[in-house]
Amino acid sequence: MVIDFNEMLDAYKRILKIPSMSAKGTGINEAASFLKALLKNMGIKSEIIQTSGNPVVYGEYFTGAPKTLLVYNHYDVQPIDPENEWTHEPFAASEDHGRIYARGAADNKGTLMARIFGIEKALENNELHVNLKFLYEGEEEIGSPNLKEFIVKNKDRFAADDVIMEGSQVGEENRPVIALGVKGLLYVELKSRTGTTDLHSSLAAIAPSPAWNLINALDSVYDNNKVEIPGFYDNITPLSNNDLNILKDYPFNIERMKSSYGLKNFMFDDKERIIKELFTSPTCNIAGIISGYAGEGAKTVLPAEAKAKVDFRLVPDQDPEIIFDSMKDYLRKMGFDLEMNPLGMEYPVRTAPDTELAQKMISSAIKTYGRKPIIMLNSPGTQPMDLFTRELGIKNAVSAIGVGDNISKAHAPDESVSIENFRLAIEHTKNFLSEFQ
Amino acid sequence: MVIDFNEMLDAYKRILKIPSMSAKGTGINEAASFLKALLKNMGIKSEIIQTSGNPVVYGEYFTGAPKTLLVYNHYDVQPIDPENEWTHEPFAASEDHGRIYARGAADNKGTLMARIFGIEKALENNELHVNLKFLYEGEEEIGSPNLKEFIVKNKDRFAADDVIMEGSQVGEENRPVIALGVKGLLYVELKSRTGTTDLHSSLAAIAPSPAWNLINALDSVYDNNKVEIPGFYDNITPLSNNDLNILKDYPFNIERMKSSYGLKNFMFDDKERIIKELFTSPTCNIAGIISGYAGEGAKTVLPAEAKAKVDFRLVPDQDPEIIFDSMKDYLRKMGFDLEMNPLGMEYPVRTAPDTELAQKMISSAIKTYGRKPIIMLNSPGTQPMDLFTRELGIKNAVSAIGVGDNISKAHAPDESVSIENFRLAIEHTKNFLSEFQ
């Protein structure tokens, strides 16, 4: 099968017309079947594998090369509400001023399809020097509830040396973004409960306060911009010179970002410091805290319960399990009587800039886009890359070759992708594969 | 006018039938007129004085004695919702098994009327040795929004040496409660705002966190059960031997109170310590705190705002204004950028147990009830007694001669008063006046 760009665009529109909203349960099997057939038509062995949730589309193409690359994408999309705010039908895939409008155009069907066609071109030119495996998930937009179980059950099938994750986009100045990893996450819910009911606050003289218990405990965890949990900073990998150079190159306009985030100030004035902290510092954030009366005016109540949600973003090689245990021990030893539940744990991933995967992703981006990519040592946020690196033992992972840009509105009405970016992502995939081995 | 107990009971029922709910604006003028006429019939000069809100009923009776006693009560009552939970009509004042059921029976018309009839009896027996002034307010149940302004405007009219406040009741073992004062209050709302909108929590590496700002500030205010505001404990009056004896006599059953409050534990195991803290320690309580996401599951958000409400209960002679200023200075010097608003300030009051007012209230209680009263150095809660002691310069204040008991359900459906307690309160008033000079 050899097809031209218009046919690629047409196939892209066809999958966009399938309303594969995992939250609604619509179009799931249709999208999976579409992908299975598409791979098969390219000569790629493909199958639909049932999971405890929506099916996974699996594909594999063996060249006999020593290295295997796993390509991860998802075929499910976000729901379309608020539906009446769409000016283009969400599942019509209509073209307008050089863009294609549809739910999932950017997140993640555009990237998925561009990669497929880039691979097809590489195959056509005999420029594929690795084995390929494909994992197309159908539950990413509802939090991938069954992915870990599925991957663990199918370790051998998904064994690979490197992985290209979903995510990434075309950023400022039309420079493609390459993220060499992700920060990890430890999300902890803390709860203090001292009684069965709120009391009159005059009893604060003799009744324990869950709110103070929680606040004093939290202050013991983080104060003066420093996490006080023993060992928290111990396993942080020092930055290499390559890492430092990548940080230096990162574009960041302080005034523009301040206004875009609605902030009066960042924590630091110095641009280099801001970039370094953003990508390489772990965080300890209060995502939420609640206790007692928070309405208008003065109510004098001694609350029976206080709750907080704390999220830590972790950098290599901090370990969320070890940090959680250490936090529990630390607060217990200090005498705080708290319930502590880990609501999320993800390991940080950072692929060294001098690996073949990173190098070739960067050089092929320069070749394709004619400009330097925006490289992130790791994204400041979290993605479950550790499923691949820890559960499958994959050595290197990047998020790259995204088709969205800063007006793509992923997850919002009128999601769209520039046709030119779709074309460039195909080229980037092809160029990457021609170099990567 | 000389009337017997049945006539007193009848008059009590008549005022209970007036639905003087300040929150609804019903029956206000009718209740005020009733009281003005009642005083007038007793030969007490009385008038209705307009305020910026509901009228005050003022009365005065001069004996030519050197000392003047002010009697404070309120004629307004709480609303009756939830109305369908009343098994006795709220404004029928029906009798049932020795109790009278009506909204306001305990809070505060019973006490108001019992005092009037006790005074009448004292007059009848020529046993009144002080001048009397009466202040019946009509907005207590909506927070006395106009009382301070009114009192300040009418300082001379209300000048007195001593005051009997509303409040108090018949407590455990049918022992009447006498509170020799109140704790003061400082209620502060703290707000930290760093941006215009909640952000993705990955930005916690570079964007300031209002929640941490607030939590770290609060921890600086209170830690290890100690308030860290400079000077906070400086002006606390040491306890006298009389004070200590009163504390020793206070009945407190730890197990019963634990279960009544729904608490696993008090902050202290020792009964003497519990009583001492309850009445003589200032408190610093988190009445409420809120920031970010507090629902189910894990949401990774960096909140734009965090708010807390802190209430301090103060003991003599802590000054809420000085403490508020000191708190502001302290937190600012530590570098916390917070909005701080005082939502309430009341001064603590404690009348010495060896004053004539306290002594005679106690001895007449023993004579009337045949048992020792339950004496509180001050209530653990707050009442605006400081309006009288600070604005009017009244030296001594007590809350005593209450008619409610522990099943009276003030503010709730089926509020009621035991007829025997109504009778005893009349006797207590009479006996007190016969001794007090």
Side-chain angles (χ1 to χ4, degrees), chain A residues 176-214:
Chain A
V177 175
I178 297 173
L180 300 180
V182 291
K183 279 192 183 173
L185 179 74
L186 168 62
Y187 198 104
V188 184
E189 189 175 64
L190 297 99
K191 206 183 283 185
S192 176
R193 189 162 184 93
T194 51
T196 53
T197 178
D198 291 357
L199 298 172
H200 192 271
S201 79
S202 59
L203 289 165
I206 55 171
S209 158
W212 276 126
N213 186 37
L214 183 64

Side-chain angles (χ1 to χ4, degrees), chain A residues 190-192 209-223 286 289-291 303 306-308 331 334 336-338, chain B residues 190 211-224 284-290 307-310:
Chain A
L190 297 99
K191 206 183 283 185
S192 176
S209 158
W212 276 126
N213 186 37
L214 183 64
I215 288 167
N216 293 151
L218 289 172
D219 187 86
S220 303
V221 167
Y222 184 81
D223 197 14
I286 300 285
I289 182 166
I290 192 163
S291 184
K307 277 196 297 189
L331 290 177
M334 292 187 81
F336 293 109
D337 178 20
L338 295 163
Chain B
L190 298 99
W212 276 125
N213 186 36
L214 183 64
I215 287 167
N216 294 152
L218 289 171
D219 186 86
S220 303
V221 166
Y222 184 81
D223 196 12
N224 292 315
C284 174
N285 174 61
I286 301 286
I289 181 165
I290 192 163
K307 277 196 299 188
K309 290 170 194 270
V310 181

Side-chain angles (χ1 to χ4, degrees), chain A residues 183 185 187 189 193-197 199-209 211-212 214-225 252 260-268 273-275 277-279 281-303 306-307 309-311 313 336-337 343-344 380-382, chain B residues 183 185 187 189 193-197 199-209 211-212 214-225 252 260-268 273-275 277-279 281-303 306-307 309-311 313 336-337 343-344 380-382:
Chain A
K183 279 192 183 173
L185 179 74
Y187 198 104
E189 189 175 64
R193 189 162 184 93
T194 51
T196 53
T197 178
L199 298 172
H200 192 271
S201 79
S202 59
L203 289 165
I206 55 171
S209 158
W212 276 126
L214 183 64
I215 288 167
N216 293 151
L218 289 172
D219 187 86
S220 303
V221 167
Y222 184 81
D223 197 14
N224 290 316
N225 300 330
F252 192 94
S260 136
Y261 295 141
L263 287 171
K264 283 181 281 186
N265 287 107
F266 288 112
M267 288 162 81
F268 318 97
R273 176 82 189 274
I274 290 176
I275 295 168
E277 298 282 341
L278 182 60
F279 293 109
S281 281
T283 68
C284 173
N285 173 60
I286 300 285
I289 182 166
I290 192 163
S291 184
Y293 177 76
E296 283 304 300
K299 188 173 168 191
T300 47
V301 65
L302 171 59
K307 277 196 297 189
K309 289 169 195 271
V310 181
D311 74 272
R313 303 280 174 176
F336 293 109
D337 178 20
L343 299 191
T382 305
Chain B
K183 280 192 183 172
L185 179 75
Y187 198 105
E189 189 174 66
R193 192 165 181 90
T194 50
T196 54
T197 179
L199 297 173
H200 191 271
S201 78
S202 59
L203 290 165
I206 56 171
S209 159
W212 276 125
L214 183 64
I215 287 167
N216 294 152
L218 289 171
D219 186 86
S220 303
V221 166
Y222 184 81
D223 196 12
N224 292 315
N225 301 328
F252 192 92
S260 135
Y261 294 140
L263 286 173
K264 283 181 281 185
N265 288 106
F266 287 113
M267 287 162 81
F268 318 98
R273 176 81 189 276
I274 290 176
I275 295 168
E277 298 282 340
L278 182 61
F279 292 109
S281 282
T283 67
C284 174
N285 174 61
I286 301 286
I289 181 165
I290 192 163
S291 183
Y293 177 74
E296 283 303 299
K299 190 175 166 189
T300 46
V301 64
L302 170 59
K307 277 196 299 188
K309 290 170 194 270
V310 181
D311 75 273
R313 303 281 174 174
F336 293 108
D337 178 20
L343 299 192
T382 306

Side-chain angles (χ1 to χ4, degrees), chain A residues 98-172:
Chain A
R99 297 183 75 87
I100 294 186
Y101 287 80
R103 167 58 80 233
D107 184 8
N108 174 248
K109 289 174 174 171
T111 301
L112 186 159
M113 294 296 282
R115 287 177 182 177
I116 287 184
F117 293 127
I119 289 163
E120 187 176 38
K121 284 191 153 193
L123 282 172
E124 191 183 322
N125 297 351
N126 280 318
E127 288 187 330
L128 183 68
H129 315 300
V130 293
N131 307 307
L132 291 174
K133 291 184 176 179
F134 299 83
L135 194 173
Y136 296 144
E137 186 199 353
E139 299 188 318
E140 199 272 346
E141 298 293 5
I142 54 172
S144 305
N146 300 294
L147 187 61
K148 185 174 178 178
E149 177 198 291
F150 175 76
I151 280 185
V152 170
K153 258 198 205 157
N154 293 274
K155 270 190 183 174
D156 292 339
R157 195 194 285 262
F158 290 105
D161 299 282
D162 301 85
V163 61
I164 321 177
M165 300 291 298
E166 69 125 357
S168 184
Q169 59 165 1
V170 181
E172 284 185 39

